[in-house]
Every structure is written in C-alpha cells, then in structure tokens.
Amino acid sequence: RPVLWQAPNDITQRNLFLGPGGTAMRPDLRRITFIKEEKGGYSKKYRVRDGSGREWVAKIGKEAQSETSAIRLLWAIGYVTEVNYLVPRVTIPGKGTFTNVRFEARPESWDRVGEWKWKRNPFVGTPQYQGLKIMMALINNWDLKDSNNEIVQIRGGNSNNVYYIISDLGATFGKTGGFFSRSRNDAADYVKANFIKKVNGDVIDFSYSGKNQKLFEGLTVADARWLSNLLKRLSDDQIKDAFRSANYSAEEVDLLAGAVRERINALAKLG
C-alpha cells in the first residue's frame, strides 16, 4: 500500500525543533566514525557512524539548514519524511571540522526500493498530492526532479506499506528561477519572492519558475483549502522552531518564519 501522507494526531502538539526523529533518534556525537563519501548531488556528503552505532549521511554546505527546516514543516502536517538533525559543529575524522551539518538517518530497517516520479505515481489528483505540490511552492523548492524522490519500505513495521518521500529538500527557502537567478537557503531572497500571482476563477497561478513547472498547472482553491486547514493549525512558535532547529540566527528565524506565516495566510484567504 503506497503512503504519501498520514493524518497527524495533533498538529498543535508536534515538536518542530526535534522533528520526526524526536529525542530518541538524535545523533550521539561523542564519537563519529567516517565510513565513506557519498557521491552525487550539489552538496558534499559523508556517510558516518555515531557513538551509538547508527549510520547517518552528513551533508556539508548551504543546503544543510534549509533541508532541516523543510523536513520539519512537511512532517508537521503529516507527510512522510526523512529523519534529520542539524549539528552546529562536528569533526569527521580524516575530513575536517564543519559547521551547520545536516545529519540524515540511515536506519537499518529502511530499505530504499526505488524512486517515484512526479508526473506518474499512485497519488496523482488526490488532495494530499496537490497539497504536496503547493508545499513545494510555499518553501520555494525549485529542484523538483524524480531523482530526489525515494520509495521506502520499513522492515518490522507495517510490511504492506511503501512510503513515498522527497529525499532531497535542500534547494529551498531562496528564490526559484533560472540557473543564474535561483538561490537556496537565502532568507532575504525568500522573503522578497512572490508566492501567488493571481487566481483565475478556481485555478491558482503560483509564482514558481523552478524545474517541472507544469506540475503547478490546474491547482485549485479547493487544493489550497485542504493544505491551509492543516498549516494554519501551526503556531508561530512551532514555525520558528522549524528554523531554530537549523541553527539560523534570531533575525533569520524571524524573517523566514514570518514569510512562511504570510504564505499560509495567503492560502487561507483563497478559501
């Protein structure tokens, strides 16, 4: 059974600072062991083992903060996500000491069984899928390519389920656009970027100019209402915690959280 979204029990009580892994899965930084370098993608990545023996993919660079926050906002409203944490400073033996490193869990029980496609998947046309696309516009994820998507089966859980997740959300919280104009993890760019151009009858024209633009055609006020009914239950403190968890400065937290709240309000007004 394919699963993209699961109705959250109580959005208002979700801890967006710790995210989907909670306290239990936080990396044990007392000892870090380098395993190998992970190839591919924009960012430098190393697979490491922590003091408890868990494996992680440590992402170095500009995408680490934005991805940490994006995961928390998606998870908060019920989307299935990776488990990650932002480590402000860590030494990886043989590789160096780095700041603001995203640690993404690689649990032994998670089997990555393939990638899913934006244009062809079991959820096309459902409110959950339409809502996910609007979330990509809300966080300005301009890198919507199939290779960033994973299908995961969890051994020991409900073996009948396969979970559809977006595995790379680093190209977020900047501005969409062409190769030279787009940005990632840039609070000033994100705050200035437009969200909704106009509404034509029941159809919303989003200000999205990233990859796979055709995905945003035909999104409706009803789709926005479904999503905003979830998002508006988040408090300002919860939204700020999503950015505090990524070690943004106090000024950046206020800017980013304020812009997210404005976009949530804009969706709510459409309804």
Side-chain angles (χ1 to χ4, degrees), residues 77-252:
I77 57 173
Y79 287 101
V80 185
T81 67
E82 302 275 14
V83 170
N84 71 12
Y85 300 87
L86 196 288
V87 176
R89 183 179 177 87
V90 66
T91 297
I92 299 176
K95 297 301 174 182
T97 298
F98 307 96
T99 58
N100 289 337
V101 179
R102 183 228 63 190
F103 270 49
E104 185 175 87
R106 286 293 185 269
E108 291 183 359
S109 59
W110 282 41
D111 293 326
R112 292 163 185 262
V113 296
E115 70 178 36
W116 60 272
K117 300 184 183 302
W118 279 105
K119 294 179 181 177
R120 189 173 69 253
N121 60 72
F123 313 102
V124 170
T126 64
Q128 297 90 344
Y129 183 60
Q130 301 295 81
L132 180 63
K133 290 189 285 185
I134 296 174
M135 275 298 294
M136 295 302 98
L138 189 145
I139 64 178
N140 278 5
N141 183 11
W142 50 259
D143 198 18
L144 298 185
K145 57 188 180 186
D146 296 341
S147 58
N148 285 340
N149 302 335
E150 293 278 356
I151 302 173
V152 173
Q153 190 162 21
I154 302 177
R155 283 177 279 116
N158 187 335
S159 59
N160 292 322
N161 289 347
V162 286
Y163 299 94
Y164 284 56
I165 64 175
I166 303 175
S167 186
D168 190 337
L169 286 162
T172 51
F173 298 112
K175 63 180 178 181
T176 66
F179 185 81
F180 294 105
S181 60
R182 64 198 183 203
S183 64
R184 45 169 70 78
N185 189 17
D186 190 314
D189 276 356
Y190 183 67
V191 169
K192 290 184 292 185
N194 293 323
F195 179 41
I196 296 171
K197 289 182 183 177
K198 58 184 177 180
V199 180
N200 300 309
D202 191 44
V203 177
I204 307 167
D205 185 4
F206 286 95
S207 296
Y208 179 86
S209 53
K211 298 176 183 178
N212 252 328
Q213 293 180 37
K214 287 189 175 295
L215 287 174
F216 297 89
E217 295 178 357
L219 291 167
T220 67
V221 170
D223 298 327
R225 184 182 305 121
W226 181 88
L227 181 63
S228 68
N229 282 341
L230 297 169
L231 287 170
K232 67 186 182 184
R233 294 162 63 186
L234 291 171
S235 69
D236 289 344
D237 278 341
Q238 283 177 298
I239 296 171
K240 287 181 178 180
D241 276 345
F243 295 104
R244 292 184 184 117
S245 72
N247 201 33
Y248 283 105
S249 69
E251 180 183 8
E252 289 171 325

